[in-house]
Amino acid sequence: MPEGQESKSVNVARFLPRAAKRYPDEIAARIPQGRRLDGSIKYQSLTFEELNADSDACGRILQQAGIQRSMRVLVMVRPGLDLLLTCFALFKLGAIPVVIDPGMKLPNFLACIRQSRPKAMIGIRMAQALALVRRKTFHKIGIRVTTGTKKFRQGIERFRSDIPLPIAEVSPDDLAAILFTSGSTGSPKGVRYEHGTFDSQVRLVRERYRISSGEVDLTTLPIFGLFNPALGITTVVPELNPSRPAKADPEKLVQAILERKVTNAFGSPTLWRRISDHCDEAQIRLPLIKRIMIAGASVTPDLLLRLQRTLPNASIHIPYGATEALPVASVTADQILAGPARLTGKGKGTCLGRPIPEVNIVILPITEDPITSMSDVTPLPPGEIGEITVSGPIVTKAYDNLPEATKAHKIRDKKVIWHRMGDLGYLAEDGRLWFCGRKVERVETLEGPLYTEQVEPIFHAHVDVRRSALIGLGSKEFREPAIVIEPEPGAFPGSAREKNRFSDELLEKAEGFVRLHGIRRIFFRRSFPVDARHNAKIHRLALAREYTAKMKLP
């Protein structure tokens, strides 16, 4: 490249050396290393300059091991520093990280490996041990690098250099990574992320949420930490098990927020509820947080009200999207509580806000069949429920090695790719998007379809209901609707009489809604099966199978 001419490469790795040049002495990452005598959290801290140099050194280690451009590399490292180092090193080399949720059940995890066909692997000792035990799945992975060891750290020190590691020149259409969906309503699928998609996400997230350099982020979803160097903000790695975020100790998270003066954080509704519960009990407020994002499942108005009390100076954002397209739309707590929350309680669905700039949304008629062209279908008018379908620079083009899934979820319109979200909803007259539930979780009854987000909030109005799940009983085309209730702590009915009383009170809530008159069965359970990523999305289909079997229904 001629001197003075700027590269046109959109390699997402370029953001790290750029941050190292602009903010060399600013802290890029803090990784917890235990406790001091006074109980405060001890961190290993790296500046942007140090993080960039160490990722260069990591890249040289991987090069020496034989990892090359366009090679697929399974990443099974601990969240925090090793994840940042290895992923940025791979991006710099032009290699393709394959990232799978650590909390996924082992059979699904192994299936994801077989589907993505990696040629190399970077992992902790436990991951290497798994590879030895499951040789059949891992036998084609010829290059294996172990992280998290003294030898690996010594290698980083040995390969440090004042000469930058060259960053691979890539085009927007070049494959950058394969990120797997959580599989909350089906089998996990590898999503092909191109460098142009990552580039657009960084730009639109920065602009939409007004994130500026110098902020401090508590990164509860490890893969999101890869955006932080691009945004010039500090990553604080929390003390939590990424495979069980709902089990996180809220006291430790709040301590980290207070000690490190966190200004930004992302989490599921389940995680934020635990934090708000702890803060209420301990009478703690978090005034330094400027912004939080809640995603992974629908957010109830009562949680938003509690968070406004806990975070008096924060803007609370609820972005909408999926692994295949993120972000699609966004709304704030203030906007929800100003009116849409009341409509949600009346069975109108959940307001998702307005589309992100450059993102287009249409509602298509519900069908299980592939749609080959947008010219073959007519979008629905405002107010009619159908499948949410989106296009824009943040929309991925295909699933990895799954042509049938790609055919089922993607629509080509000349050069534009539309993604069928698998979510049902409608556009209101004012242009706001409303969510009614997952397509596969709708319950078809003799009286018509029922949608989770139009039914469950009606039962949430009961003071003792923490969560509810609409399910369809039976295996025929038309099913019997039922509700599964997870009561608030201490409110679980302990006797048949208490269950009957609780059920009668819930059915009274539904009396004013004609379409709910078919719901006659109510089940109670202490906890719901949930997704691996956020521990927030309820596995309604699993519940339906469980209670169908218990009731011995055909």
Side-chain angles (χ1 to χ4, degrees):
M1 181 169 40
E3 186 176 351
Q5 181 177 329
E6 187 175 349
S7 168
K8 294 183 180 180
S9 172
V10 294
N11 192 323
V12 69
R14 75 189 190 281
F15 290 111
L16 182 53
R18 185 180 295 177
K21 186 175 181 179
R22 290 179 180 174
Y23 325 108
D25 299 322
E26 297 293 323
I27 299 298
R30 297 188 189 275
I31 300 89
Q33 302 287 307
R35 286 289 195 281
R36 296 187 178 90
L37 291 176
D38 63 0
S40 62
I41 305 171
K42 182 179 179 181
Y43 289 94
Q44 174 192 0
S45 301
L46 275 80
T47 65
F48 281 104
E49 189 173 60
E50 291 169 336
L51 181 61
N52 183 51
D54 281 4
S55 79
D56 280 357
C58 182
R60 295 185 182 99
I61 293 173
L62 302 183
Q63 275 184 324
Q64 189 179 69
I67 293 175
Q68 303 171 359
R69 183 187 178 111
S70 299
M71 183 177 286
R72 295 175 176 228
V73 184
L74 178 63
V75 177
M76 296 177 67
V77 304
R78 296 192 186 282
L81 180 58
D82 282 354
L83 183 65
L84 289 169
L85 290 181
T86 55
C87 284
F88 272 99
L90 291 170
F91 290 143
K92 288 178 178 180
L93 296 177
I96 302 163
V98 177
V99 182
I100 308 170
D101 274 328
M104 194 178 291
K105 291 183 179 179
L106 184 59
N108 282 345
F109 193 94
L110 297 176
C112 291
I113 296 172
R114 292 191 292 271
Q115 179 189 316
S116 56
R117 305 170 190 170
K119 298 298 182 185
M121 168 183 169
I122 306 171
I124 59 174
R125 283 174 173 165
M126 188 180 297
Q128 304 294 351
L130 177 64
L132 292 175
V133 173
R134 300 285 182 163
R135 286 187 175 88
K136 188 174 181 180
T137 298
F138 288 82
H139 77 282
K140 290 187 178 179
I141 300 179
I143 300 171
R144 303 183 187 187
V145 178
T146 304
T147 63
T149 64
K150 183 177 180 181
K151 182 180 179 180
F152 181 74
R153 293 305 308 165
Q154 289 174 339
I156 293 290
E157 294 173 7
R158 187 169 68 254
F159 280 97
R160 284 198 187 105
S161 171
D162 293 331
I163 302 173
L165 180 72
I167 296 179
E169 294 280 328
V170 299
S171 72
D173 295 333
D174 283 338
L175 187 59
I178 297 169
L179 309 181
F180 274 82
T181 64
S182 63
S184 57
T185 54
S187 299
K189 296 182 287 292
V191 180
R192 293 172 61 88
Y193 259 77
E194 297 173 351
H195 280 276
T197 309
F198 275 135
D199 197 60
S200 295
Q201 285 181 323
V202 170
R203 176 173 56 84
L204 292 177
V205 166
R206 179 193 289 120
E207 292 171 0
R208 176 63 179 82
Y209 300 109
R210 300 180 182 178
I211 299 174
S212 57
S213 60
E215 292 198 40
V216 181
D217 177 66
L218 185 73
T219 309
T220 62
L221 189 62
I223 196 67
F224 269 40
L226 298 178
F227 284 96
N228 289 345
L231 299 168
I233 64 179
T234 301
T235 297
V236 175
V237 178
E239 295 175 303
L240 63 75
N241 181 347
S243 66
R244 296 289 183 272
K247 300 295 184 182
D249 183 344
E251 184 175 0
K252 291 181 178 179
L253 298 179
V254 170
Q255 182 181 0
I257 289 170
L258 292 171
E259 289 183 359
R260 302 322 316 173
K261 297 179 171 57
V262 167
T263 63
N264 185 78
F266 173 97
S268 71
T270 302
L271 192 61
W272 282 115
R273 185 175 291 276
R274 289 179 65 83
I275 290 173
S276 68
D277 284 348
H278 171 73
C279 288
D280 282 350
E281 291 170 7
Q283 296 186 325
I284 295 172
R285 297 292 177 264
L286 304 174
L288 294 183
I289 290 188
K290 295 171 56 176
R291 174 195 317 100
I292 70 165
M293 299 180 198
I294 314 176
S298 294
V299 188
T300 58
D302 73 294
L303 176 57
L304 295 178
L305 287 168
R306 294 172 65 186
L307 286 171
Q308 285 185 332
R309 185 169 64 248
T310 301
L311 312 167
N313 301 318
S315 56
I316 300 172
H317 298 271
I318 304 98
Y320 166 68
T323 308
E324 300 92 334
L326 181 73
V328 167
S330 192
V331 68
T332 66
D334 287 342
Q335 291 166 344
I336 290 289
L337 296 172
R342 291 191 295 274
L343 296 177
T344 297
K346 294 178 180 179
K348 298 295 185 181
T350 297
C351 182
L352 300 176
R354 301 184 188 278
I356 295 290
E358 301 179 39
V359 173
N360 296 311
I361 300 176
V362 296
I363 306 298
L364 299 184
I366 300 171
T367 176
E368 306 299 333
D369 298 329
I371 301 172
T372 57
S373 171
M374 288 296 284
S375 62
D376 297 337
V377 64
T378 302
L380 296 174
E384 288 199 26
I385 296 173
E387 184 168 12
I388 301 170
T389 305
V390 304
S391 69
I394 48 76
V395 173
T396 56
K397 296 175 181 175
Y399 293 108
D400 189 56
N401 294 322
L402 292 171
E404 291 304 312
T406 298
K407 184 178 179 182
H409 290 273
K410 306 293 180 181
I411 309 171
R412 286 194 175 272
D413 185 15
K414 297 179 181 178
K415 293 184 179 180
V416 177
I417 300 293
W418 291 82
H419 177 69
R420 300 168 65 181
M421 297 290 287
D423 291 334
L424 301 179
Y426 60 93
L427 285 167
E429 291 284 355
D430 62 5
R432 288 190 290 190
L433 178 66
W434 288 74
F435 175 56
C436 296
R438 292 289 291 167
K439 183 167 69 173
V440 297
E441 291 178 339
R442 73 188 190 280
V443 177
E444 294 285 355
T445 74
L446 289 170
E447 290 76 28
L450 294 177
Y451 307 108
T452 58
E453 294 296 313
Q454 292 190 325
V455 173
E456 294 168 3
I458 293 168
F459 294 93
H460 293 167
H462 192 291
V463 68
D464 288 330
V465 173
R466 190 175 185 88
R467 289 190 294 184
S468 66
L470 170 70
I471 61 172
L473 299 174
S475 56
K476 298 180 180 179
E477 179 183 358
F478 296 109
R479 306 191 177 195
E480 178 189 345
I483 288 288
V484 187
I485 298 295
E486 180 185 322
E488 289 283 1
F492 196 90
S495 66
R497 184 177 179 180
E498 289 178 358
K499 284 184 180 180
N500 290 334
R501 178 191 56 78
F502 203 159
S503 296
D504 289 343
E505 291 175 359
L506 290 168
L507 291 174
E508 283 180 18
K509 296 284 184 185
E511 276 186 3
F513 302 88
V514 174
R515 67 181 186 277
L516 303 189
H517 288 178
I519 297 177
R520 285 290 175 262
R521 296 186 200 264
I522 295 180
F523 305 101
F524 297 93
R525 62 186 296 137
R526 296 188 182 278
S527 63
F528 286 149
V530 292
D531 67 295
R533 179 170 300 167
H534 301 290
N535 291 178
K537 291 179 182 176
I538 302 166
H539 285 307
R540 295 177 180 86
L541 299 181
L543 288 173
R545 290 190 294 270
E546 176 185 334
Y547 286 102
T548 292
K550 283 183 178 180
M551 302 302 295
K552 298 181 180 180
L553 296 172

